[in-house]
Amino acid sequence: MAIFALAVNLITYFNSVMHFELADAANQLTNYMGTGYILSILMAILADTYFGRVKTVIISGCLEFLALILLMIQAHYPKLKPPPCNMFDKQSHCETVEGKSAVVLYIALYILATGTAGIKAALPSHGADQFDEKDPKEAMQMSSFFNKLLLGLCLGGAVSLTLIVWIQDYKGWDWGLGVSAAAMFFSVVIFVAGMPLYRIHIVSGSSTILQILQVYVAAIRNRKLILPEDSTHLYEIERDKENAMEDDFLPHRNIYRFLDKAAIQQTPSRQVGNPEASSAWKLCTVTQVENAKIVLSMVPIFCCTIIMTLCLAQLQTFSIQQGLTMDTKLTNSFSIPPASLPIIPVSFIILIVPIYDKIFVPFARKFTGIPTGITHLQRVGVGLVLSSISMAVAALVEVKRKGVARDHNMLDATPVSQPLPISTFWLSFQFFIFGIADLFTYVGLLEFFYSEAPKALKSVSTCFLWSSMALGYFLSTIVVKIVNRATEGITRSGGWLVGNNINRNHLNLFYWMLSILSLINFFIYVFVAKKYKYRNQKPAVSNAVNDSRTP
């Protein structure tokens, strides 16, 4: 509720209040979003080694509250932002935010990104910690939890997309940000109130991410050593049979054998030495190496999901600008802000998640024997196809929108004050399809990374998803710049996405490019997913996977 509105409406703030050009405003938003996701890795390390997940959530919530207060203050006081100016008037010479005002803006934004990263890193894992995977009943409840987590996000998002966006657009950004700050404050209070009920994850004092990095460094440093024929000669710590849990140790597997060199302990005389005397960056245990292998096996899946976030970034930026040029009236006296359009897929998800969780999953479970109904990779694959379809629909809608502008001689019409005679609800089709893709891909990935990761990796597994999304947002910034540079000399506007007049741009061609790119990415994903072997050893799951290997 506190920040969802910013993800879709911040581009309007950057463009109309801070006076960035449209492409620059889009890049500012994607850089902010990408930073919020990539910092989740650092926050996960801090949660593991210093603070614990509960404290990380509380600290991150307080950071978000502070950042929203700073943004509210800046939006309220004229001295902290550029003078009002119409960015769509060619005769105007609008000042872009700079100096102290820019410092305040960027400090607030990236404090907000840090707080968001902490919650993304710690909250899903903290929720999953409440369930025991070894208990069959609780294992199914954990799968249901991830669906309900999405439901909770959508319920908060629905309020954000309607109430908060409306306040931002019609009552002022200072009021909208103030309501967001209040929502963040009460969320922290509610979370703290539940502490007596939680199963608290114990801080390990070390980070699995660092341990995995040690494996790669050690493997490189030991690259000239010869692997022993017997894998039992590789280094592993002594097991206390009475106290050690079975899943604290992972058996050696004959894949990615080059990483096994990280577990070779030798002295210069090539005799086995004292393991305790070796550096952690030169000698790792077999369990550490196996954890690194699991992460490496997930990398192809991880890479295939980056393109989907690249598509999502366009719905949060250029699609909102499309909506500003269209007729937003619901009735003669009420208009829907363009940034509220994602309420359509969000509302659908709110309705479909209970149906998916309570009807489809139990029904599919009877046929597949898989606790989640269908495999995680099958669920992700459905979403990737839908994201490609969403971009194709977006291209068709943009062709129609520009056709209306051309037919009515409104190519140079001023957005908002001179709306085109076409309803903004035409954009709902692309938002609706991508909303269904969200339901399948992002929740499927979250559950996939968490369930496939061994015990030592549970706390950081959700960071794989957030890192994928971060790279997608950063890639969006790069792609927009590359496209503008590549099309600079072949368009009158100086590039497909250059300038503030979206009617003169070639956004439809950009959407077609993303649709084709997404389709190619899906076929690569099918190949990768067929090669992936689930590490879950439960018979019901294993048999189902062998019978249905396609995503």
Side-chain angles (χ1 to χ4, degrees):
M1 178 179 172
I3 64 169
F4 202 99
L6 295 180
V8 295
N9 210 23
L10 202 54
I11 185 173
T12 304
Y13 183 69
F14 286 144
N15 184 242
S16 62
V17 179
M18 296 300 171
H19 302 158
F20 290 103
E21 284 198 0
L22 184 56
D24 292 332
N27 288 342
Q28 290 291 339
L29 176 59
T30 52
N31 287 341
Y32 153 73
M33 297 290 291
T35 301
Y37 285 110
I38 203 69
L39 282 177
S40 65
I41 300 175
L42 174 62
M43 298 304 288
I45 293 175
L46 293 176
D48 281 352
T49 56
Y50 298 106
F51 303 127
R53 291 168 198 162
V54 172
K55 288 184 179 179
T56 300
V57 171
I58 295 172
I59 293 171
S60 300
C62 292
L63 287 175
E64 285 199 39
F65 173 72
L66 173 62
L68 289 167
I69 291 294
L70 286 175
L71 287 172
M72 180 191 70
I73 292 173
Q74 181 173 41
H76 182 74
Y77 290 101
K79 292 183 179 180
L80 295 175
K81 55 187 177 182
C85 179
N86 186 356
M87 286 289 289
F88 304 106
D89 185 353
K90 293 182 179 180
Q91 304 302 320
S92 299
H93 298 285
C94 300
E95 296 180 18
T96 304
V97 62
E98 57 184 12
K100 294 180 180 179
S101 298
V103 171
V104 172
L105 175 65
Y106 290 124
I107 287 177
L109 275 179
Y110 289 99
I111 290 177
L112 183 63
T114 304
T116 303
I119 291 179
K120 284 182 171 67
L123 188 61
S125 295
H126 168 68
D129 286 342
Q130 311 309 305
F131 307 96
D132 183 1
E133 285 186 287
K134 295 182 180 180
D135 185 312
K137 183 178 179 180
E138 291 196 20
M140 288 190 291
Q141 289 174 339
M142 186 179 72
S143 177
S144 180
F145 160 74
F146 283 108
N147 290 326
K148 290 174 181 175
L149 177 64
L150 175 64
L151 179 62
L153 292 173
C154 289
L155 288 171
V159 178
S160 192
L161 289 169
T162 50
L163 175 64
I164 295 182
V165 166
W166 184 86
I167 293 173
Q168 289 171 348
D169 286 356
Y170 294 104
K171 296 298 181 181
W173 275 90
D174 51 350
W175 280 97
L177 291 165
V179 173
S180 291
M184 199 66 239
F185 174 80
F186 284 111
S187 74
V188 174
V189 171
I190 293 170
F191 183 82
V192 171
M195 287 185 65
L197 305 175
Y198 301 148
R199 290 177 179 172
I200 305 296
H201 171 260
I202 300 174
V203 177
S204 63
S206 62
S207 171
T208 305
I209 292 180
L210 291 178
Q211 293 177 0
I212 290 173
L213 289 176
Q214 290 170 350
V215 171
Y216 294 122
V217 172
I220 293 173
R221 294 179 68 178
N222 297 343
R223 62 188 181 280
K224 295 183 179 180
L225 299 181
I226 299 175
L227 283 170
E229 295 183 3
D230 188 351
S231 63
T232 59
H233 292 162
L234 297 173
Y235 173 60
E236 182 61 278
I237 61 174
E238 293 291 332
R239 304 189 187 192
D240 186 338
K241 296 181 179 180
E242 295 183 359
N243 298 323
M245 299 293 292
E246 183 179 348
D247 54 1
D248 284 340
F249 296 91
L250 295 178
H252 176 266
R253 295 180 298 166
N254 287 319
I255 61 173
Y256 304 124
R257 289 297 309 275
F258 62 92
L259 291 179
D260 288 340
K261 293 191 175 184
I264 299 176
Q265 163 59 24
Q266 289 193 353
T267 63
S269 60
R270 298 212 176 261
Q271 298 296 318
V272 176
N274 180 18
E276 287 75 14
S278 298
S279 167
W281 296 92
K282 194 171 184 180
L283 177 65
C284 303
T285 66
V286 169
T287 295
Q288 275 183 264
V289 172
E290 291 304 314
N291 282 337
K293 290 179 180 179
I294 290 171
V295 172
L296 191 58
S297 67
M298 289 181 177
V299 167
I301 302 295
F302 169 91
C303 292
C304 288
T305 59
I306 295 173
I307 298 298
M308 183 169 174
T309 303
L310 170 62
C311 297
L312 172 62
Q314 313 320 314
L315 296 184
Q316 293 176 331
T317 53
F318 292 110
S319 290
I320 303 302
Q321 293 302 306
Q322 287 176 280
L324 290 175
T325 69
M326 303 168 77
D327 184 2
T328 61
K329 288 184 178 179
L330 285 178
T331 65
N332 291 332
S333 59
F334 182 77
S335 299
I336 180 174
S340 294
L341 282 175
I343 190 63
I344 296 171
V346 167
S347 299
F348 177 76
I349 292 175
I350 291 173
L351 294 175
I352 203 68
V353 164
I355 296 174
Y356 180 87
D357 190 57
K358 300 300 181 182
I359 298 177
F360 174 78
V361 172
F363 178 78
R365 188 185 296 143
K366 293 180 180 179
F367 294 94
T368 64
I370 302 173
T372 53
I374 59 176
T375 67
H376 308 311
L377 295 184
Q378 288 171 341
R379 186 170 179 173
V380 172
V382 172
L384 294 181
V385 170
L386 291 175
S387 70
S388 176
I389 295 173
S390 175
M391 288 297 99
V393 170
L396 293 173
V397 171
E398 174 62 3
V399 169
K400 181 174 180 61
R401 190 196 66 82
K402 286 184 65 175
V404 170
R406 183 175 55 252
D407 294 343
H408 290 80
N409 296 318
M410 297 181 69
L411 288 175
D412 294 312
T414 302
V416 181
S417 62
Q418 294 177 301
L420 302 177
I422 177 175
S423 174
T424 191
F425 279 95
W426 278 93
L427 298 176
S428 65
F429 293 107
Q430 60 213 54
F431 281 107
F432 176 76
I433 296 172
F434 203 92
I436 305 175
D438 260 352
L439 172 64
F440 281 91
T441 294
Y442 289 135
V443 178
L445 279 174
L446 197 62
E447 192 173 354
F448 167 72
F449 288 135
Y450 190 89
S451 61
E452 286 297 291
K455 182 179 179 181
L457 287 175
K458 297 295 184 187
S459 58
V460 298
S461 60
T462 55
C463 291
F464 299 139
L465 171 59
W466 309 134
S467 299
S468 167
M469 297 186 73
L471 293 176
Y473 281 113
F474 288 134
L475 181 62
S476 175
T477 300
I478 296 170
V479 167
V480 168
K481 290 183 178 180
I482 290 176
V483 166
N484 281 338
R485 183 68 63 85
T487 58
E488 183 177 5
I490 61 176
T491 57
R492 293 181 180 178
S493 60
W496 280 2
L497 307 172
V498 171
N500 287 306
N501 189 347
I502 199 170
N503 296 330
R504 296 284 185 181
N505 285 347
H506 297 78
L507 186 60
N508 55 313
L509 298 179
F510 184 60
Y511 281 148
W512 278 122
M513 183 193 76
L514 292 180
S515 179
I516 295 171
L517 192 62
S518 297
L519 189 61
I520 295 172
N521 177 70
F522 168 72
F523 287 120
I524 295 173
Y525 172 81
V526 170
F527 175 79
V528 168
K530 282 185 175 181
K531 297 291 184 182
Y532 185 84
K533 295 182 179 180
Y534 287 90
R535 62 177 299 274
N536 195 327
Q537 299 300 314
K538 294 180 181 179
V541 176
S542 299
N543 293 338
V545 172
N546 290 332
D547 293 339
S548 181
R549 295 287 297 280
T550 55

